[in-house]
Amino acid sequence: MTESDAALVARARGGDGAAFETLVRRHLRSAYAVALAQLGEEADAQDAVQDAFVTALKRIDECRKPDQFANWLFSIVRNRARDHRRYRQVRDALPLDAAREASDRRADPARDAENMELREDLLGALSTLTELQREVILLYDVEGWSHKEIAARLGISDGSARVHLFNARRALRERLTEGHREET
């Protein structure tokens, strides 16, 4: 039987590192999806999630509703993502894609280039969505959450989660199709 978040939070408050590790494993992918929805850059999202988990560990005693740990964690993730976005605007540096491409050389450079292009197209299309639409589509399509779970975590109705998902998918489809037409 899976231990509840509330029980794990109680154990983590008592200094049980394994309990906090279980919370991290349980919520890592979803936290990453929330950060990616906010930032649009994989590396920045990873940094924001790592910072959020460090903050959550330091402030675990401040989690007022341990049974709603994920909601508390996601608010920290959103705050860290906003901090990273502000930092990114200030630092005015180019991404290290060139270094990553050099280290990621594989047997099929043409396929790698195509995959990188598709990833850039998708991230570009995702960046045109609202933050809420990005969160909904990533939680639903990437993480496999139900409309009900998304609605509960984001504080919206099931119907609203469905509408945001529909509109996000339509906008992505239009953006990706539009970009594809321009190339031909």
Side-chain angles (χ1 to χ4, degrees):
M1 186 170 146
T2 304
E3 197 169 4
S4 71
D5 281 357
L8 291 169
V9 168
R11 287 182 36 213
R13 285 178 174 165
D16 186 342
F20 191 77
E21 182 179 342
T22 301
L23 287 167
V24 169
R25 290 179 193 272
R26 184 176 291 172
H27 299 291
L28 180 62
R29 286 178 49 119
S30 300
Y32 175 75
V34 169
L36 185 61
Q38 295 272 327
L39 296 166
E41 293 286 332
E42 294 174 11
D44 288 342
Q46 291 169 354
D47 289 345
V49 168
Q50 182 177 0
D51 289 350
F53 276 113
V54 169
T55 300
L57 178 59
K58 288 179 182 176
R59 296 173 46 196
I60 194 76
D61 290 331
E62 296 175 25
C63 181
R64 291 186 203 135
K65 297 180 180 178
D67 59 319
Q68 295 180 11
F69 173 80
N71 291 342
W72 179 72
L73 172 67
F74 294 162
S75 68
I76 294 172
V77 170
R78 285 185 196 95
N79 288 333
R80 291 296 162 248
R82 287 183 188 108
D83 292 345
H84 277 272
R85 186 181 317 122
R86 282 191 290 270
Y87 174 74
R88 187 174 61 200
Q89 290 170 347
V90 171
R91 77 176 182 219
D92 195 35
L94 295 174
L96 298 175
D97 286 343
R100 184 172 58 174
E101 287 175 5
S103 67
D104 279 350
R105 301 242 190 263
R106 292 188 180 86
D108 189 355
R111 188 190 74 220
D112 290 346
E114 185 177 321
N115 285 342
M116 183 62 82
E117 186 176 315
L118 288 172
R119 172 176 275 156
E120 288 172 5
D121 289 348
L122 183 57
L123 288 174
L126 281 169
S127 72
T128 65
L129 302 177
T130 67
E131 288 180 17
L132 183 59
Q133 287 175 330
R134 282 192 303 270
E135 280 190 53
V136 169
I137 201 163
L138 289 171
L139 289 173
Y140 188 85
D141 287 333
V142 176
E143 293 300 314
W145 287 28
S146 69
H147 294 291
K148 185 177 182 176
E149 291 170 322
I150 292 169
R153 292 289 163 90
L154 298 180
I156 59 178
S157 68
D158 289 4
S160 182
R162 290 174 193 276
V163 167
H164 285 294
L165 179 64
F166 174 82
N167 289 334
R169 284 179 171 168
R170 184 180 62 203
L172 283 177
R173 195 169 28 253
E174 288 172 4
R175 170 73 185 227
L176 292 170
T177 303
E178 177 182 294
H180 211 53
R181 277 191 223 130
E182 291 173 3
E183 292 175 8
T184 57

mmCIF file with all atom_site columns, all heavy atoms in Angstrom, residues 29-46:
data_model
loop_
_atom_site.group_PDB
_atom_site.id
_atom_site.type_symbol
_atom_site.label_atom_id
_atom_site.label_alt_id
_atom_site.label_comp_id
_atom_site.label_asym_id
_atom_site.label_entity_id
_atom_site.label_seq_id
_atom_site.pdbx_PDB_ins_code
_atom_site.Cartn_x
_atom_site.Cartn_y
_atom_site.Cartn_z
_atom_site.occupancy
_atom_site.B_iso_or_equiv
_atom_site.pdbx_formal_charge
_atom_site.auth_seq_id
_atom_site.auth_comp_id
_atom_site.auth_asym_id
_atom_site.auth_atom_id
_atom_site.pdbx_PDB_model_num
ATOM 1   N N   . ARG A 1 29 ? 8.155  14.388 -11.728 1.00 0.00 ? 29 ARG A N   1
ATOM 2   C CA  . ARG A 1 29 ? 7.730  14.589 -13.120 1.00 0.00 ? 29 ARG A CA  1
ATOM 3   C C   . ARG A 1 29 ? 6.665  15.671 -13.239 1.00 0.00 ? 29 ARG A C   1
ATOM 4   O O   . ARG A 1 29 ? 6.712  16.499 -14.144 1.00 0.00 ? 29 ARG A O   1
ATOM 5   C CB  . ARG A 1 29 ? 7.219  13.281 -13.717 1.00 0.00 ? 29 ARG A CB  1
ATOM 6   C CG  . ARG A 1 29 ? 8.329  12.290 -14.034 1.00 0.00 ? 29 ARG A CG  1
ATOM 7   C CD  . ARG A 1 29 ? 7.773  11.001 -14.583 1.00 0.00 ? 29 ARG A CD  1
ATOM 8   N NE  . ARG A 1 29 ? 6.814  11.253 -15.649 1.00 0.00 ? 29 ARG A NE  1
ATOM 9   C CZ  . ARG A 1 29 ? 6.942  10.838 -16.894 1.00 0.00 ? 29 ARG A CZ  1
ATOM 10  N NH1 . ARG A 1 29 ? 7.962  10.110 -17.230 1.00 0.00 ? 29 ARG A NH1 1
ATOM 11  N NH2 . ARG A 1 29 ? 6.028  11.117 -17.802 1.00 0.00 ? 29 ARG A NH2 1
ATOM 12  N N   . SER A 1 30 ? 5.725  15.674 -12.325 1.00 0.00 ? 30 SER A N   1
ATOM 13  C CA  . SER A 1 30 ? 4.666  16.682 -12.380 1.00 0.00 ? 30 SER A CA  1
ATOM 14  C C   . SER A 1 30 ? 5.217  18.071 -12.075 1.00 0.00 ? 30 SER A C   1
ATOM 15  O O   . SER A 1 30 ? 4.822  19.048 -12.718 1.00 0.00 ? 30 SER A O   1
ATOM 16  C CB  . SER A 1 30 ? 3.558  16.339 -11.387 1.00 0.00 ? 30 SER A CB  1
ATOM 17  O OG  . SER A 1 30 ? 3.001  15.087 -11.707 1.00 0.00 ? 30 SER A OG  1
ATOM 18  N N   . ALA A 1 31 ? 6.119  18.154 -11.125 1.00 0.00 ? 31 ALA A N   1
ATOM 19  C CA  . ALA A 1 31 ? 6.748  19.439 -10.810 1.00 0.00 ? 31 ALA A CA  1
ATOM 20  C C   . ALA A 1 31 ? 7.523  19.954 -12.023 1.00 0.00 ? 31 ALA A C   1
ATOM 21  O O   . ALA A 1 31 ? 7.488  21.143 -12.339 1.00 0.00 ? 31 ALA A O   1
ATOM 22  C CB  . ALA A 1 31 ? 7.662  19.294 -9.599  1.00 0.00 ? 31 ALA A CB  1
ATOM 23  N N   . TYR A 1 32 ? 8.201  19.039 -12.705 1.00 0.00 ? 32 TYR A N   1
ATOM 24  C CA  . TYR A 1 32 ? 8.943  19.420 -13.912 1.00 0.00 ? 32 TYR A CA  1
ATOM 25  C C   . TYR A 1 32 ? 7.981  19.927 -14.991 1.00 0.00 ? 32 TYR A C   1
ATOM 26  O O   . TYR A 1 32 ? 8.268  20.926 -15.664 1.00 0.00 ? 32 TYR A O   1
ATOM 27  C CB  . TYR A 1 32 ? 9.760  18.237 -14.436 1.00 0.00 ? 32 TYR A CB  1
ATOM 28  C CG  . TYR A 1 32 ? 10.444 18.526 -15.745 1.00 0.00 ? 32 TYR A CG  1
ATOM 29  C CD1 . TYR A 1 32 ? 11.571 19.343 -15.796 1.00 0.00 ? 32 TYR A CD1 1
ATOM 30  C CD2 . TYR A 1 32 ? 9.951  18.008 -16.932 1.00 0.00 ? 32 TYR A CD2 1
ATOM 31  C CE1 . TYR A 1 32 ? 12.189 19.623 -17.004 1.00 0.00 ? 32 TYR A CE1 1
ATOM 32  C CE2 . TYR A 1 32 ? 10.563 18.286 -18.141 1.00 0.00 ? 32 TYR A CE2 1
ATOM 33  C CZ  . TYR A 1 32 ? 11.677 19.096 -18.166 1.00 0.00 ? 32 TYR A CZ  1
ATOM 34  O OH  . TYR A 1 32 ? 12.288 19.379 -19.361 1.00 0.00 ? 32 TYR A OH  1
ATOM 35  N N   . ALA A 1 33 ? 6.855  19.273 -15.150 1.00 0.00 ? 33 ALA A N   1
ATOM 36  C CA  . ALA A 1 33 ? 5.866  19.711 -16.143 1.00 0.00 ? 33 ALA A CA  1
ATOM 37  C C   . ALA A 1 33 ? 5.368  21.119 -15.825 1.00 0.00 ? 33 ALA A C   1
ATOM 38  O O   . ALA A 1 33 ? 5.214  21.954 -16.725 1.00 0.00 ? 33 ALA A O   1
ATOM 39  C CB  . ALA A 1 33 ? 4.695  18.734 -16.219 1.00 0.00 ? 33 ALA A CB  1
ATOM 40  N N   . VAL A 1 34 ? 5.136  21.407 -14.555 1.00 0.00 ? 34 VAL A N   1
ATOM 41  C CA  . VAL A 1 34 ? 4.689  22.734 -14.146 1.00 0.00 ? 34 VAL A CA  1
ATOM 42  C C   . VAL A 1 34 ? 5.776  23.766 -14.454 1.00 0.00 ? 34 VAL A C   1
ATOM 43  O O   . VAL A 1 34 ? 5.497  24.831 -15.011 1.00 0.00 ? 34 VAL A O   1
ATOM 44  C CB  . VAL A 1 34 ? 4.322  22.748 -12.642 1.00 0.00 ? 34 VAL A CB  1
ATOM 45  C CG1 . VAL A 1 34 ? 4.124  24.164 -12.131 1.00 0.00 ? 34 VAL A CG1 1
ATOM 46  C CG2 . VAL A 1 34 ? 3.067  21.907 -12.392 1.00 0.00 ? 34 VAL A CG2 1
ATOM 47  N N   . ALA A 1 35 ? 7.021  23.443 -14.134 1.00 0.00 ? 35 ALA A N   1
ATOM 48  C CA  . ALA A 1 35 ? 8.122  24.380 -14.387 1.00 0.00 ? 35 ALA A CA  1
ATOM 49  C C   . ALA A 1 35 ? 8.336  24.587 -15.879 1.00 0.00 ? 35 ALA A C   1
ATOM 50  O O   . ALA A 1 35 ? 8.562  25.715 -16.335 1.00 0.00 ? 35 ALA A O   1
ATOM 51  C CB  . ALA A 1 35 ? 9.401  23.877 -13.728 1.00 0.00 ? 35 ALA A CB  1
ATOM 52  N N   . LEU A 1 36 ? 8.268  23.511 -16.647 1.00 0.00 ? 36 LEU A N   1
ATOM 53  C CA  . LEU A 1 36 ? 8.447  23.626 -18.095 1.00 0.00 ? 36 LEU A CA  1
ATOM 54  C C   . LEU A 1 36 ? 7.336  24.465 -18.709 1.00 0.00 ? 36 LEU A C   1
ATOM 55  O O   . LEU A 1 36 ? 7.569  25.261 -19.619 1.00 0.00 ? 36 LEU A O   1
ATOM 56  C CB  . LEU A 1 36 ? 8.506  22.245 -18.745 1.00 0.00 ? 36 LEU A CB  1
ATOM 57  C CG  . LEU A 1 36 ? 8.820  22.220 -20.236 1.00 0.00 ? 36 LEU A CG  1
ATOM 58  C CD1 . LEU A 1 36 ? 10.187 22.833 -20.520 1.00 0.00 ? 36 LEU A CD1 1
ATOM 59  C CD2 . LEU A 1 36 ? 8.775  20.782 -20.762 1.00 0.00 ? 36 LEU A CD2 1
ATOM 60  N N   . ALA A 1 37 ? 6.129  24.318 -18.188 1.00 0.00 ? 37 ALA A N   1
ATOM 61  C CA  . ALA A 1 37 ? 5.014  25.121 -18.674 1.00 0.00 ? 37 ALA A CA  1
ATOM 62  C C   . ALA A 1 37 ? 5.265  26.603 -18.418 1.00 0.00 ? 37 ALA A C   1
ATOM 63  O O   . ALA A 1 37 ? 4.901  27.451 -19.224 1.00 0.00 ? 37 ALA A O   1
ATOM 64  C CB  . ALA A 1 37 ? 3.710  24.687 -17.999 1.00 0.00 ? 37 ALA A CB  1
ATOM 65  N N   . GLN A 1 38 ? 5.919  26.916 -17.323 1.00 0.00 ? 38 GLN A N   1
ATOM 66  C CA  . GLN A 1 38 ? 6.209  28.303 -16.978 1.00 0.00 ? 38 GLN A CA  1
ATOM 67  C C   . GLN A 1 38 ? 7.380  28.865 -17.774 1.00 0.00 ? 38 GLN A C   1
ATOM 68  O O   . GLN A 1 38 ? 7.367  30.013 -18.181 1.00 0.00 ? 38 GLN A O   1
ATOM 69  C CB  . GLN A 1 38 ? 6.560  28.401 -15.482 1.00 0.00 ? 38 GLN A CB  1
ATOM 70  C CG  . GLN A 1 38 ? 5.442  28.055 -14.552 1.00 0.00 ? 38 GLN A CG  1
ATOM 71  C CD  . GLN A 1 38 ? 4.589  29.250 -14.245 1.00 0.00 ? 38 GLN A CD  1
ATOM 72  O OE1 . GLN A 1 38 ? 5.070  30.360 -14.181 1.00 0.00 ? 38 GLN A OE1 1
ATOM 73  N NE2 . GLN A 1 38 ? 3.300  29.019 -14.081 1.00 0.00 ? 38 GLN A NE2 1
ATOM 74  N N   . LEU A 1 39 ? 8.408  28.025 -17.980 1.00 0.00 ? 39 LEU A N   1
ATOM 75  C CA  . LEU A 1 39 ? 9.677  28.523 -18.513 1.00 0.00 ? 39 LEU A CA  1
ATOM 76  C C   . LEU A 1 39 ? 9.932  28.205 -19.980 1.00 0.00 ? 39 LEU A C   1
ATOM 77  O O   . LEU A 1 39 ? 10.610 28.952 -20.670 1.00 0.00 ? 39 LEU A O   1
ATOM 78  C CB  . LEU A 1 39 ? 10.839 27.988 -17.667 1.00 0.00 ? 39 LEU A CB  1
ATOM 79  C CG  . LEU A 1 39 ? 10.832 28.480 -16.225 1.00 0.00 ? 39 LEU A CG  1
ATOM 80  C CD1 . LEU A 1 39 ? 11.792 27.658 -15.372 1.00 0.00 ? 39 LEU A CD1 1
ATOM 81  C CD2 . LEU A 1 39 ? 11.191 29.949 -16.176 1.00 0.00 ? 39 LEU A CD2 1
ATOM 82  N N   . GLY A 1 40 ? 9.484  27.044 -20.440 1.00 0.00 ? 40 GLY A N   1
ATOM 83  C CA  . GLY A 1 40 ? 9.688  26.668 -21.828 1.00 0.00 ? 40 GLY A CA  1
ATOM 84  C C   . GLY A 1 40 ? 11.078 26.167 -22.159 1.00 0.00 ? 40 GLY A C   1
ATOM 85  O O   . GLY A 1 40 ? 11.334 25.751 -23.268 1.00 0.00 ? 40 GLY A O   1
ATOM 86  N N   . GLU A 1 41 ? 11.992 26.214 -21.230 1.00 0.00 ? 41 GLU A N   1
ATOM 87  C CA  . GLU A 1 41 ? 13.371 25.747 -21.423 1.00 0.00 ? 41 GLU A CA  1
ATOM 88  C C   . GLU A 1 41 ? 13.635 24.592 -20.465 1.00 0.00 ? 41 GLU A C   1
ATOM 89  O O   . GLU A 1 41 ? 13.439 24.724 -19.253 1.00 0.00 ? 41 GLU A O   1
ATOM 90  C CB  . GLU A 1 41 ? 14.378 26.867 -21.142 1.00 0.00 ? 41 GLU A CB  1
ATOM 91  C CG  . GLU A 1 41 ? 14.341 28.013 -22.119 1.00 0.00 ? 41 GLU A CG  1
ATOM 92  C CD  . GLU A 1 41 ? 14.958 27.657 -23.459 1.00 0.00 ? 41 GLU A CD  1
ATOM 93  O OE1 . GLU A 1 41 ? 15.845 26.778 -23.497 1.00 0.00 ? 41 GLU A OE1 1
ATOM 94  O OE2 . GLU A 1 41 ? 14.538 28.258 -24.460 1.00 0.00 ? 41 GLU A OE2 1
ATOM 95  N N   . GLU A 1 42 ? 14.103 23.477 -21.012 1.00 0.00 ? 42 GLU A N   1
ATOM 96  C CA  . GLU A 1 42 ? 14.310 22.275 -20.204 1.00 0.00 ? 42 GLU A CA  1
ATOM 97  C C   . GLU A 1 42 ? 15.280 22.504 -19.052 1.00 0.00 ? 42 GLU A C   1
ATOM 98  O O   . GLU A 1 42 ? 15.004 22.127 -17.914 1.00 0.00 ? 42 GLU A O   1
ATOM 99  C CB  . GLU A 1 42 ? 14.811 21.140 -21.090 1.00 0.00 ? 42 GLU A CB  1
ATOM 100 C CG  . GLU A 1 42 ? 13.799 20.677 -22.107 1.00 0.00 ? 42 GLU A CG  1
ATOM 101 C CD  . GLU A 1 42 ? 14.367 19.641 -23.064 1.00 0.00 ? 42 GLU A CD  1
ATOM 102 O OE1 . GLU A 1 42 ? 15.468 19.126 -22.826 1.00 0.00 ? 42 GLU A OE1 1
ATOM 103 O OE2 . GLU A 1 42 ? 13.682 19.352 -24.049 1.00 0.00 ? 42 GLU A OE2 1
ATOM 104 N N   . ALA A 1 43 ? 16.425 23.101 -19.342 1.00 0.00 ? 43 ALA A N   1
ATOM 105 C CA  . ALA A 1 43 ? 17.446 23.291 -18.307 1.00 0.00 ? 43 ALA A CA  1
ATOM 106 C C   . ALA A 1 43 ? 16.940 24.219 -17.205 1.00 0.00 ? 43 ALA A C   1
ATOM 107 O O   . ALA A 1 43 ? 17.159 23.959 -16.014 1.00 0.00 ? 43 ALA A O   1
ATOM 108 C CB  . ALA A 1 43 ? 18.730 23.834 -18.914 1.00 0.00 ? 43 ALA A CB  1
ATOM 109 N N   . ASP A 1 44 ? 16.272 25.305 -17.588 1.00 0.00 ? 44 ASP A N   1
ATOM 110 C CA  . ASP A 1 44 ? 15.730 26.226 -16.593 1.00 0.00 ? 44 ASP A CA  1
ATOM 111 C C   . ASP A 1 44 ? 14.657 25.549 -15.755 1.00 0.00 ? 44 ASP A C   1
ATOM 112 O O   . ASP A 1 44 ? 14.573 25.761 -14.542 1.00 0.00 ? 44 ASP A O   1
ATOM 113 C CB  . ASP A 1 44 ? 15.159 27.481 -17.264 1.00 0.00 ? 44 ASP A CB  1
ATOM 114 C CG  . ASP A 1 44 ? 16.250 28.397 -17.803 1.00 0.00 ? 44 ASP A CG  1
ATOM 115 O OD1 . ASP A 1 44 ? 17.418 28.268 -17.380 1.00 0.00 ? 44 ASP A OD1 1
ATOM 116 O OD2 . ASP A 1 44 ? 15.928 29.245 -18.651 1.00 0.00 ? 44 ASP A OD2 1
ATOM 117 N N   . ALA A 1 45 ? 13.832 24.718 -16.393 1.00 0.00 ? 45 ALA A N   1
ATOM 118 C CA  . ALA A 1 45 ? 12.788 23.994 -15.661 1.00 0.00 ? 45 ALA A CA  1
ATOM 119 C C   . ALA A 1 45 ? 13.419 23.035 -14.649 1.00 0.00 ? 45 ALA A C   1
ATOM 120 O O   . ALA A 1 45 ? 12.960 22.930 -13.511 1.00 0.00 ? 45 ALA A O   1
ATOM 121 C CB  . ALA A 1 45 ? 11.881 23.242 -16.627 1.00 0.00 ? 45 ALA A CB  1
ATOM 122 N N   . GLN A 1 46 ? 14.465 22.346 -15.065 1.00 0.00 ? 46 GLN A N   1
ATOM 123 C CA  . GLN A 1 46 ? 15.155 21.429 -14.149 1.00 0.00 ? 46 GLN A CA  1
ATOM 124 C C   . GLN A 1 46 ? 15.740 22.185 -12.964 1.00 0.00 ? 46 GLN A C   1
ATOM 125 O O   . GLN A 1 46 ? 15.631 21.742 -11.816 1.00 0.00 ? 46 GLN A O   1
ATOM 126 C CB  . GLN A 1 46 ? 16.247 20.661 -14.888 1.00 0.00 ? 46 GLN A CB  1
ATOM 127 C CG  . GLN A 1 46 ? 15.720 19.661 -15.881 1.00 0.00 ? 46 GLN A CG  1
ATOM 128 C CD  . GLN A 1 46 ? 16.796 19.099 -16.793 1.00 0.00 ? 46 GLN A CD  1
ATOM 129 O OE1 . GLN A 1 46 ? 17.944 19.521 -16.776 1.00 0.00 ? 46 GLN A OE1 1
ATOM 130 N NE2 . GLN A 1 46 ? 16.410 18.134 -17.618 1.00 0.00 ? 46 GLN A NE2 1
#
